[in-house]
Amino acid sequence: MTIMRPYGDTTGDGMVQLSFTLPISSQAAGAKLAEGAAAQLANKMGMDPALVVHAKPMGPDFTFFVVYGRVHHLVDTSQVRVVEREFPLLTPKEVNLAIRKALRRRLVVVGGCIGTDAHTVGIDAILNIKGFAGEKGLEYYRELRVVNLGAQVSVPQLVARAREEQADAILVSQVVTQRDAHLHNTKEMSAAFRESFPAERRPLMVVGGPRFDESMTEELGVDRIFVRGTTPGEVASYLVDELVTKRRQVSTSGAQAS
Amino acid sequence: MSDRKPISTGTGPISTNGGPISTSARPISTRTGPISTRGRGKLELDPATVRTARSLARRVGRPIVTLAKQHTTVSVERATLRLAGLQGADADGIPWVNRLLDAVRGDVGLEHGVAAPVWDALVRGEADTLSTLAQKAAVGSIRFRLPEGRELTRARSAAKKHVGAGIRRVDARRRERDRLVKRYGDPDHKPWVYLIVATGDIYEDMPQAQQAAREGADVIAVIRSTGQSLLDYVPEGPTREGFAGTYATQENFRLMRAALDESSAELGRYVRLTNYASGLCMPEIASLAGLQRLDMMLNDSMYGILFRDINPIRTFVDQRFSRQVHARAGIIINTGEDNYLTTADAVEAAHTVTTSQLLNEYFGKEAGLEDWQLGLGHAFEIDPNLPDSFRMELAHAMLARDLFPRAPLKWMPPTRHMTGDVFRGYLLDGFFNLAGALTGQSILLVGMMTEAVVTPWLSDRDLALQNVRYVMNAAGNLHEDFRPAPDGFIASRARQVLAESIDLLERILAHESRTGLLEAIADGTFGLMKRPADAGRGLEGVARKAPGYYNPASEILEAT
């Protein structure tokens, strides 16, 4: 059965609940008008009948409503399209476990802002233990060794440090976009890494920033681009997917072939 | 008014002439221990054990204070220039205090302090004002030198006069707060309700903060833009763009304080303002807070080291100076123990909170803060799926209350176990509020059911405040009837946590070097982070003081 309706207390009753605020006064004479306004919104959203069960004034200018009611829409699960992330999202525990089991050493991440960019907001949100959006940064992960070079790192410095630390991955953040600086810097970096490392030894190159386009990886010569709103957990999950899961698949299929 | 009210409405013994606060006039001697003056608290902790814990904290902290006294930092020196009245920035937005300090450092180094070379140049007539001097120095038209003999005496006395005037402005701001609190009054309830505002745009923040005050907030905190803690300068002017928060600048401080002064008059109670003295510029931000009459500042002794990878020595030096400023300005500090529990397990790591509170108390008092200024932090972060999780929360919260009976404890809501199920989150926040009421917390950061979902909506805030009001109205005085059984679960758990924290302090002392705390931080004793003393951000801004180092601000504040 792929067709369904919301379920209140009986199959097919279509009951839903909804809460919202309207910028309308419900004090004194305004109370009825406010409730009517809420019912109108619920009706327009497809709730019919709509029961305004709660209307509470919040200060002189706003009212908060809770509405229960029936919707007549049908859900057809055969028509649901889900855009899949190309890698599974893992918890910190799962990330640590995957690395420990597969690598038997810590995975090394070297990060920083290249060029003259002094905005470490992005790289710090991903790397600092403090983290971002309620998620801890990569420093929090026991099995990741994080080297955060901070701001204004030159490309040669980054290459040298990556070699010294035997980095598995490079994380670079670019916030400043004047005269496409973020694109030039990224190309310069990817060229330098490709030149300095044999392909199979080259660290994974990941860049991020608010003005990148996720689909430009090939043009910029990097392995992955992350855009605004990316959380540390997503980056960690990606690293595991690329450096642990996929490489193991490659090596096992290689073993079978030989 | 209840005699249990922990936050002194009087502001302690500030002398009317604006002179230094006498330490001997502290109302309560810390040496006899507050426990003895109020019985042993509800948990009936063994007074000898409590004394042991405090004396261990003192032994751990003292070498760090010695180390802090031996060093200065670029931010301490810039704060000194700010106290002397240097403001503004060049065309690129680099503050003049940075430009001037860099020029001085280039000529004569940091280790002698900025005061003598700067005021020597002024006395020599290189410029009429600090700001002209900074501009000339920035283009390289001034050579700084280290004055000697009579010239040194003259430079020092001029420096002390100017910096002293800045500190008197801080004193005047403190008296102004006292007057306004007297006029409008403190909240008539406890705990104080603390709400957060953060749009990134100060002109959006102001009406939002005023609305939050109308809805019942007693304290407004303006969250800073992500990453400001790692800037080695304080941005200038009013700002309208921030990342998940609003930049802390002197002008933003002034604008928001003025907005809340309007609210205080409108509402008939003094609405307090909070910001963050943390990160690389904490001494400067503390000074700006004092100059603009902020009322509370987040200010933790180790947060920057552990969570922001700021160099440990830089942090301890900056901490001590900023706490001296806060002490002088009558600002209540809020410490950051809640952060330990967002990274480590709240049951396993409970003792790290107590240990950090003891250290924060020691460092705070050493810097001149009084009990009523120590907003020691802790949080409701135990996994709600654990059996007896609420009893453990009560045990931890009550331990903090009994250990620090006169401190305005800051009680932080659940964040880690808020899942997006807003209904369950609302219940959890209700239990958080109840624990706060039962254990006499002083400052309650209002929990939002949409934590980890969205930045709070108008209705989220309204519902959250209803939650607080219901609990306080229904159970606000329940603490009068609530006394845990002496050998029951709560009392035993509290004793266990205290014992573990004593054990941790002993392990810190067992490190080989005298500054065992630095080694403990380096080997990952706190949180999960290993932070060696010779690494971390801002290390290049630290200098060991040379003989003859002079800083008039430190001199005046040390005497406070």
Side-chain angles (χ1 to χ4, degrees), chain A residues 56 124 128 130 139 148, chain B residues 230 303 308 462 531 537:
Chain A
K56 185 199 173 271
D124 288 325
N128 265 196
K130 171 81 179 167
E139 286 188 334
N148 186 349
Chain B
L230 301 178
Y303 171 81
R308 287 300 193 186
D462 188 78
R531 304 298 195 199
R537 296 156 202 274

Side-chain angles (χ1 to χ4, degrees), chain B residues 441-491:
Chain B
Q441 303 301 311
S442 317
I443 304 164
L444 182 136
L445 198 158
V446 178
M448 296 289 153
M449 65 183 188
T450 45
E451 175 76 38
V453 183
V454 290
T455 52
W457 290 358
L458 186 69
S459 55
D460 298 334
R461 202 179 280 148
D462 188 78
L463 286 163
L465 285 167
Q466 283 185 58
N467 191 332
V468 173
R469 275 195 290 269
Y470 164 68
V471 172
M472 294 310 155
N473 191 34
N477 296 320
L478 189 56
H479 61 82
E480 289 171 14
D481 309 303
F482 177 62
R483 196 163 279 277
D487 286 308
F489 181 92
I490 291 177

Side-chain angles (χ1 to χ4, degrees), chain B residues 56-57 59-61 63-64 302 316 340 351-352 354-356 358-359 363 500-526:
Chain B
L56 285 169
R59 281 171 57 202
V60 168
I64 300 294
M302 294 191 291
F316 284 122
Y340 294 106
H351 65 290
T352 63
T354 308
T355 305
S356 172
L358 287 161
L359 290 172
F363 287 128
E500 285 173 8
S501 96
I502 286 174
D503 183 53
L504 174 57
L505 286 165
E506 278 170 347
R507 268 185 287 138
I508 295 169
L509 279 173
H511 282 80
E512 260 178 42
S513 84
R514 258 171 55 72
T515 49
L517 183 57
L518 285 181
E519 282 186 22
I521 290 169
D523 67 20
T525 304
F526 289 96

Side-chain angles (χ1 to χ4, degrees), chain A residues 17 21 56-59 62 64 118-121 124-125 128-130 136 139-140 142 148 150 175 228, chain B residues 211 226-227 230-231 243 303 306-309 339 342-343 416 423 458-459 462-463 466 528-529 531 537:
Chain A
Q17 60 178 4
T21 299
K56 185 199 173 271
M58 295 186 295
F62 294 93
F64 176 67
H119 295 76
T120 59
V121 177
D124 288 325
N128 265 196
I129 189 165
K130 171 81 179 167
K136 295 295 150 205
E139 286 188 334
Y140 173 68
R142 221 178 281 269
N148 186 349
V175 173
R228 181 182 285 278
Chain B
Q211 183 55 26
T226 305
L230 301 178
L231 297 180
F243 303 87
Y303 171 81
L306 298 172
F307 293 91
R308 287 300 193 186
D309 195 15
N339 289 289
T342 62
T343 52
R416 216 182 162 189
F423 303 102
L458 186 69
S459 55
D462 188 78
L463 286 163
Q466 283 185 58
L528 298 165
M529 304 315 307
R531 304 298 195 199
R537 296 156 202 274

Side-chain angles (χ1 to χ4, degrees), chain B residues 71-129:
Chain B
H71 293 80
T72 186
T73 72
V74 285
S75 185
V76 164
E77 299 302 322
R78 293 193 303 247
T80 308
L81 293 174
R82 287 187 184 276
L83 284 168
L86 184 54
Q87 291 185 31
D90 69 10
D92 295 327
I94 301 173
W96 290 120
V97 290
N98 288 61
R99 299 299 306 257
L100 181 54
L101 180 74
D102 291 349
V104 171
R105 192 178 187 182
D107 286 350
V108 297
L110 183 64
E111 61 274 21
H112 308 279
V114 76
V118 161
W119 271 273
D120 167 63
L122 285 170
V123 169
R124 272 190 282 146
E126 295 281 0
D128 294 338
T129 65

Side-chain angles (χ1 to χ4, degrees), chain B residues 380 382-384 386-396 411 428 430-436 438 489-490:
Chain B
F380 188 96
I382 298 176
D383 181 351
L386 285 182
D388 290 318
S389 67
F390 186 67
R391 291 167 93 191
M392 280 192 280
E393 293 286 10
L394 286 178
H396 299 171
W411 184 224
L428 208 55
F431 271 61
F432 159 76
N433 292 333
L434 181 60
L438 272 176
F489 181 92
I490 291 177

Side-chain angles (χ1 to χ4, degrees), chain B residues 40-202:
Chain B
R40 289 164 59 184
K42 290 192 173 181
L43 293 167
E44 304 200 8
L45 298 170
D46 172 27
T49 310
V50 173
R51 272 199 302 277
T52 303
R54 282 212 159 78
S55 97
L56 285 169
R58 193 161 53 237
R59 281 171 57 202
V60 168
R62 194 175 282 147
I64 300 294
V65 171
T66 306
L67 186 80
K69 286 178 171 172
Q70 289 163 347
H71 293 80
T72 186
T73 72
V74 285
S75 185
V76 164
E77 299 302 322
R78 293 193 303 247
T80 308
L81 293 174
R82 287 187 184 276
L83 284 168
L86 184 54
Q87 291 185 31
D90 69 10
D92 295 327
I94 301 173
W96 290 120
V97 290
N98 288 61
R99 299 299 306 257
L100 181 54
L101 180 74
D102 291 349
V104 171
R105 192 178 187 182
D107 286 350
V108 297
L110 183 64
E111 61 274 21
H112 308 279
V114 76
V118 161
W119 271 273
D120 167 63
L122 285 170
V123 169
R124 272 190 282 146
E126 295 281 0
D128 294 338
T129 65
L130 259 183
S131 133
T132 324
L133 185 75
Q135 288 167 39
K136 285 190 170 173
V139 294
S141 65
I142 290 177
R143 294 287 296 174
F144 291 96
R145 57 171 198 179
L146 290 174
E148 286 173 6
R150 280 179 59 192
E151 285 172 330
L152 175 62
T153 314
R154 278 170 66 201
R156 282 186 173 191
S157 106
K160 189 163 184 180
K161 195 176 126 205
H162 282 93
V163 174
I167 291 175
R168 280 196 301 280
R169 276 199 292 282
V170 171
D171 293 340
R173 288 305 200 165
R174 178 175 178 158
R175 288 195 302 275
E176 188 176 55
R177 181 192 301 113
D178 293 347
R179 267 202 314 279
L180 292 170
V181 169
K182 216 170 180 180
R183 186 185 307 160
Y184 301 128
D186 270 322
D188 58 2
H189 52 257
K190 203 197 71 175
W192 289 357
V193 174
Y194 178 113
L195 270 179
I196 288 169
V197 168
T199 68
D201 178 346
I202 189 66

